[in-house]
Amino acid sequence: MMSRTVFCLLALGIDTAGAFQPPARLATGWTRTTELQSTNDLYGAPTKDLPSFQAAPSPNSMPVPGARGPAVDDATILVQGGSLRTWSYRSPLVEQVQVVLSTEGRPLDADIELWHGPDNTPCKMRVYVENGQLRPFSAVIDTPRGPNTVAIRNIGQLEFPFAADVYANDVEDPSPDCLAASATIQGGALRTYPFDTLVDSVEVLLKTDGRPLNARIELLQGPNNNKQVIELYTEDGFDRPFFCILETPGSGNVVRIVNTAPVEFPMTAAVVPHSINEEMGMGGDGGVVLGGDLAW
């Protein structure tokens, strides 16, 4: 039986020796035209041999028919409810960035964090605004010793998006009056700053002597009526002070600063007017609503 099987294989011309060998590569079709690159080449300058591609426009800059959301420009990103957006700055020359958040009139609820290296968050804040169009949030975050990343998360519902813009050019600085008006607030204490109807916006500057900074900033209009709340933490209030501008339209605006740290961690606070409505001071109606019997 064995001799008959061998005879059949020889008659058919089947090569049994090469049955389990891999096929030889063809002479053509296996040449490599692209050089192998490492991950370090991703951050280097592009080579001249590689073709240049034009990036597609960002979906955030393209108009969406029928979409409802705050009006945004080319540099502003629309952050939907529950999503996260980051802005990274690799250059150590960027020492300050300004964060501006706004809505089309709906509430604004966001978490803002500064990432400096892995698992290092030297500054973070929780921001709530009742009306993001009437009172947009604007704050300056110090970013010394780059690289740094600013992370903004919309912790509101899906129906409440907001527009976010982070830029490092033309950052607003505290005025000389704000730098000269610092007052000490002990740990666990609070201080209130009432403002006149003529004041449209105020400057708030918080800092320490190098200790951690824990504070809560509240903008009230009426008794226990919070229009804007900022819960702030900074690991070094001298290296990373906090500066923001609060919009104060209308009358009866009061800024309340609470030092939420223990008594061993005092801080200095300065709250001064930033802009004044000159038209109201020159005899405007001041937002007066007439009532009663107009037939008289």
Side-chain angles (χ1 to χ4, degrees):
M1 178 62 70
M2 182 63 68
S3 60
R4 185 176 300 177
T5 304
V6 174
F7 177 77
C8 293
L9 293 175
L10 293 176
L12 296 175
I14 298 176
D15 186 8
T16 58
F20 301 99
Q21 294 182 0
R25 292 185 176 180
L26 299 177
T28 60
W30 289 88
T31 57
R32 186 182 299 276
T33 58
T34 304
E35 283 187 28
L36 292 176
Q37 295 184 351
S38 64
T39 55
N40 296 329
D41 297 332
L42 296 176
Y43 306 103
T47 58
K48 298 181 179 179
D49 298 337
L50 297 177
S52 59
F53 298 94
Q54 184 176 3
S58 173
N60 297 316
S61 61
M62 300 176 62
V64 179
R68 294 180 55 85
V72 296
D73 53 12
D74 295 339
T76 305
I77 293 180
L78 186 64
V79 184
Q80 299 291 341
S83 62
L84 171 69
R85 293 293 183 269
T86 59
W87 287 259
S88 299
Y89 297 91
R90 301 181 60 86
S91 175
L93 300 179
V94 179
E95 296 183 349
Q96 283 182 328
V97 296
Q98 187 158 356
V99 179
V100 180
L101 307 179
S102 61
T103 67
E104 60 172 3
R106 302 181 180 182
L108 187 152
D109 204 356
D111 270 341
I112 304 175
E113 294 183 351
L114 176 64
W115 299 343
H116 187 201
D119 298 330
N120 183 20
T121 308
C123 179
K124 58 183 177 181
M125 63 189 76
R126 168 79 179 272
V127 179
Y128 167 77
V129 182
E130 183 185 63
N131 188 336
Q133 183 180 26
L134 189 61
R135 300 177 181 85
F137 172 78
S138 177
V140 177
I141 300 178
D142 284 69
T143 58
R145 299 177 300 277
N148 293 276
T149 299
V150 178
I152 300 178
R153 182 185 300 274
N154 187 347
I155 58 178
Q157 300 296 326
L158 184 63
E159 297 81 6
F160 301 104
F162 62 75
D165 188 12
V166 180
Y167 53 90
N169 299 325
D170 300 330
V171 177
E172 294 181 294
D173 296 324
S175 62
D177 295 337
C178 185
L179 296 175
S182 298
T184 302
I185 302 179
Q186 299 294 335
L190 64 89
R191 180 166 297 187
T192 58
Y193 301 86
F195 289 94
D196 193 73
T197 309
L198 303 178
V199 179
D200 280 344
S201 61
V202 299
E203 301 179 11
V204 178
L205 176 63
L206 304 180
K207 58 184 178 179
T208 65
D209 57 356
R211 303 182 222 189
L213 172 62
N214 290 272
R216 186 171 70 251
I217 305 171
E218 300 177 356
L219 174 61
L220 299 95
Q221 194 174 28
N224 297 325
N225 186 11
N226 289 327
K227 298 297 183 180
Q228 185 169 347
V229 179
I230 304 173
E231 296 180 357
L232 171 68
Y233 163 76
T234 301
E235 70 174 5
D236 190 339
F238 181 80
D239 196 19
R240 304 176 188 271
F242 176 76
F243 174 71
C244 71
I245 297 177
L246 302 179
E247 301 292 333
T248 58
S251 60
N253 292 286
V254 177
V255 176
R256 179 164 61 186
I257 309 294
V258 183
N259 188 348
T260 57
V263 70
E264 296 85 5
F265 299 95
M267 69 176 184
T268 58
V271 183
V272 298
H274 176 69
S275 62
I276 296 177
N277 191 349
E278 298 180 356
E279 296 181 358
M280 187 174 296
M282 295 174 61
D285 57 359
V288 177
V289 179
L290 298 178
D293 191 358
L294 299 181
W296 277 58

